[in-house]
Amino acid sequence: MDLMKWLGRAVDSALVWEASFGGYESHPDSIIGDQEFGRVFEELTERLGDSTPFFHPRYAGQMTRAPHPAAIVGYVAAMLLNPNNHDFTGGPATTQMEHEVVQELATMFSLPTHIGHLTSSGTIANLEALFVARQSHPGRGVVFSADAHFTHDRMCDLLGMPAYRVQTDPHGRIDLDAVEELVRTGAIGTVVLTAGTTGVGAIDSIADALILKERYGVRLHVDAAYGGFFALLADDDDKSLEWDPAPWRAICGSDSIVVDPHKHGLQPYGCGAVLFTDPAVARHYRHDSPYTRMFAGSPSHLGEISLECSRAGASAAALWTTLRVYPLRRDGLGTLLASTRRAALRFARKVEETAELTLYQQPQLDIVTYLPSAPRTLSGVDEISARMVAEGMSAEPGNAVFLSALRVDAADFGVRGHCLGTDVPNGRILRSALMKPEHELCADDLVTRIAALVPTDSDGAPS
Ligand SMILES: *Cc1c(COP(=O)(O)O)cnc(C)c1O
C-alpha cells in the first residue's frame, strides 16, 4: 500500500470532519509559518537518523519490529482527532473499535466469556491482572518462574503482594512440581504462567497448570505479552512448524491473559491488552470520579474497567484497522506468525550446521538463543558474545547486524548439555527474535553474517 497516499487521505478526511462543525477564527498565537516549522522539521528528521532500524531484516535483536503501514494509517487518521478512550464521550468511534478488537482477541483465545481492554503496554496490562488477583485473593502471594518477565517481581512489590520465584526445567518452562509444593502451603493465590518467555521464548505448560486451579482454587494468569498471537497456530496441523498446540488450547481455562499488540500484532508502541474470563471482576475497578460520574457503572465506558485514565483512542483505531487487513485467523495474521516460526527453525538449523556457533536450546517460538562455540569457559562465552553484539551493530548501516545478549546462570548451561568451565556465576549468550516474515527469507544469510562476527582467535582467553 502507498503510505503517502493513505496518510494524505487521512488528513483530508480529518479536515472534512472538522469543516462539518463550521469554520472558526484561529488565534494568531496558534499559527506557525511553514518557513519557521521547516527549520524545526529539518532538525527533527536529522536527529531521528540516529535510530535503530527495527524494520530491517538484519535487525533481529529485541522483541520489536516496525508497525505495519495499515496500523500507521489507522493510528494517524484517529490521532488527528485525538480521541480519548477513557470514556465513551471521549471517543465514541474508537471506544466501539476497542470493544470490537478486545472481542476479537478473546475469540482468538477461545474465551467463553470475557471483559478486557487495551492498555499502554504489557507492563500495565500485567499490573491490572495482578491487581485483580490481589483483590480476588487478598493476603495471598504470587508465584512465577525464574524466567518470567521482571515486571512480575516489581508489580508484586508495588501491590504489596508476596512474590515467589521457582526454577525452570531444561526447556526454560516453569517447574510445576515446585509450584505445587508452594501452592500446598496455602500461601499462593495466583500462579503466573508465561506463554513465550522474554529470554528464550519458552512456553510454560499451561494445560498441566490448569489442574492446580481445579485442585487448589488458585488463579491462573497467563503472561502472553510476547507469544499470545501464536494462539492463531493452535489448531495447526502443519508438521513443518514443529508445534505443540496444547498450551494454546489450554489458555482459555485461565483467569486472565495479557497480550501485547505492539509486539506481534503489528502495532506501534502504546498497545497492550488484558483480558479476564470472569466479567464480574469489573467490581474491583469500581470508583467514583467527579468528572465522569454520570457514566458510573457502565461497562461501555472503558475507564470503568481500567486503572489508566486517558488512553489514546488512536491505538484502538490502529489495531482495528490492522485486524481488518490481517484478521485474527490462521489464514490472516496467522500466516505472518507461521513465517516467523519457520524463520526460527531455519535459523536454528543453520546455527547447528555452523562450526562457529552452538545452539543454546531448541526454539519453542520464533526466538533463537545461541553462543560462540570456541570458548571453553563461561567468562569466554560472555566476553565474545558481548563483543559480537557490539561489533554487529557498529558496522556501517548497509552491513550492520543487530543481535541481543541474554544473561544466563551457569547452572542453566549444564542442564542443556553445554560443558563450560563455570568460572563466573552467569554470562551473556546471543539471542535473535525473528519477528518479521522477511526473516524466513534471510535466516541462512543472517547466520552466515553472525558467524563472521566470531573473532578468529576466540579460544575463550579474555583479551
Ligand atoms: C514484553 C513483555 C512484557 C512487558 O511488556 P511491555 O509492553 O514491554 O511493557 C511482559 N511480559 C512479557 C512476557 C513480555 O515479553
Side-chain angles (χ1 to χ4, degrees):
M1 54 184 276
D2 179 348
L3 187 58
M4 291 276 257
K5 167 177 156 179
W6 296 108
L7 286 177
R9 291 280 295 273
V11 174
D12 288 344
S13 155
L15 292 175
V16 168
W17 175 76
E18 282 180 26
S20 71
F21 291 90
Y24 62 94
E25 192 183 349
S26 291
H27 193 284
D29 289 348
S30 58
I31 299 168
I32 299 290
D34 274 333
Q35 206 173 15
E36 183 185 351
F37 185 69
R39 284 192 297 274
V40 176
F41 187 78
E42 288 304 320
E43 191 183 342
L44 169 74
T45 48
E46 192 193 321
R47 291 186 67 161
L48 287 176
D50 184 19
S51 295
T52 307
F54 295 149
F55 73 95
H56 202 283
R58 270 185 284 106
Y59 183 92
Q62 307 290 359
M63 301 167 148
T64 181
R65 46 162 298 150
H68 192 278
I72 296 171
V73 173
Y75 196 98
V76 171
M79 186 260 279
L80 290 165
L81 322 178
N82 202 26
N84 183 346
N85 275 17
H86 172 65
D87 75 75
F88 193 75
T89 56
T94 52
T95 295
Q96 186 52 37
M97 286 176 189
E98 182 162 338
H99 284 298
E100 289 173 30
V101 295
V102 166
Q103 171 68 60
E104 287 165 45
L105 291 171
T107 303
M108 174 174 80
F109 292 118
S110 304
L111 300 187
T113 54
H114 77 277
I115 192 167
H117 57 276
L118 301 180
T119 61
S120 55
S121 67
T123 301
I124 298 298
N126 276 303
L127 170 66
E128 301 225 10
L130 293 179
F131 161 73
V132 166
R134 188 190 69 180
Q135 304 309 90
S136 310
H137 288 333
R140 306 247 218 121
V142 180
V143 59
F144 40 87
S145 91
D147 281 5
H149 197 277
F150 70 85
T151 193
H152 296 289
D153 249 333
R154 204 189 241 182
M155 292 305 165
C156 283
D157 193 25
L158 185 68
L159 291 162
M161 302 166 91
Y164 301 84
R165 244 171 210 267
V166 299
Q167 73 265 20
T168 51
D169 70 10
H171 303 284
R173 299 179 300 215
I174 193 166
D175 178 340
L176 286 176
D177 291 334
V179 171
E180 183 162 9
E181 220 167 279
L182 269 170
V183 167
R184 262 202 227 110
T185 67
I188 304 297
T190 301
V191 179
V192 174
L193 302 160
T194 307
T197 57
T198 314
V200 302
I203 300 150
D204 288 344
S205 304
I206 299 168
D208 297 335
L210 288 178
I211 298 161
L212 299 178
K213 181 174 153 75
E214 276 170 38
R215 203 175 282 165
Y216 304 98
V218 287
R219 278 180 77 79
L220 290 186
H221 168 58
V222 179
D223 180 1
Y226 185 72
F229 288 100
F230 282 93
L232 295 171
L233 307 183
D235 293 318
D236 213 88
D237 48 13
D238 180 350
K239 293 275 176 293
S240 73
L241 296 180
E242 299 174 25
W243 192 248
D244 176 12
W248 307 101
R249 290 181 183 159
I251 274 190
C252 59
S254 63
D255 296 289
S256 53
I257 305 168
V258 161
V259 58
D260 262 355
H262 69 203
K263 281 180 183 151
H264 257 305
L266 312 177
Q267 300 308 293
Y269 283 121
C271 193
V274 62
L275 303 169
F276 299 95
T277 44
D278 177 11
V281 302
R283 70 183 182 280
H284 299 305
Y285 286 96
R286 208 163 281 151
H287 64 285
D288 194 16
S289 139
Y291 323 106
T292 52
R293 188 174 290 149
M294 62 187 276
F295 316 124
S298 167
S300 63
H301 298 291
L302 291 156
E304 289 290 310
I305 51 159
S306 113
L307 293 181
E308 291 176 89
C309 288
S310 297
R311 279 185 308 109
S315 288
L319 184 56
W320 183 89
T321 308
T322 308
L323 298 188
R324 306 280 74 67
V325 190
Y326 289 106
L328 294 180
R329 293 195 312 257
R330 176 62 180 85
D331 63 353
L333 187 65
T335 57
L336 302 188
L337 287 146
S339 291
T340 70
R341 172 64 183 158
R342 282 193 298 266
L345 292 172
R346 256 196 112 111
F347 189 101
R349 227 168 283 139
K350 182 75 176 169
V351 164
E352 285 180 313
E353 289 166 16
T354 303
E356 292 88 339
L357 301 170
T358 300
L359 203 58
Y360 175 66
Q361 69 167 59
Q362 287 296 334
Q364 290 164 50
L365 275 183
D366 59 355
I367 299 172
V368 186
T369 45
Y370 50 101
L371 51 146
S373 306
R376 305 276 29 111
T377 60
L378 184 44
S379 65
V381 167
D382 176 79
E383 196 247 311
I384 303 290
S385 298
R387 230 205 285 173
M388 288 170 68
V389 172
E391 224 159 88
M393 64 185 180
S394 64
E396 49 89 25
N399 258 322
V401 187
F402 296 82
L403 323 172
S404 57
L406 173 68
R407 191 172 286 283
V408 293
D409 287 339
D412 289 329
F413 286 92
V415 297
R416 286 166 175 81
H418 300 292
C419 300
L420 282 172
T422 51
D423 53 343
V424 285
N426 55 56
R428 284 163 291 183
I429 61 167
L430 300 163
R431 166 175 171 267
S432 292
L434 299 153
M435 287 181 76
K436 295 178 279 260
E438 287 75 17
H439 285 141
E440 188 183 359
L441 310 176
C442 68
D444 288 359
D445 173 59
L446 266 182
V447 176
T448 305
R449 286 169 179 272
I450 293 163
L453 292 171
V454 178
T456 42
D457 61 340
S458 64
D459 58 358
S463 55

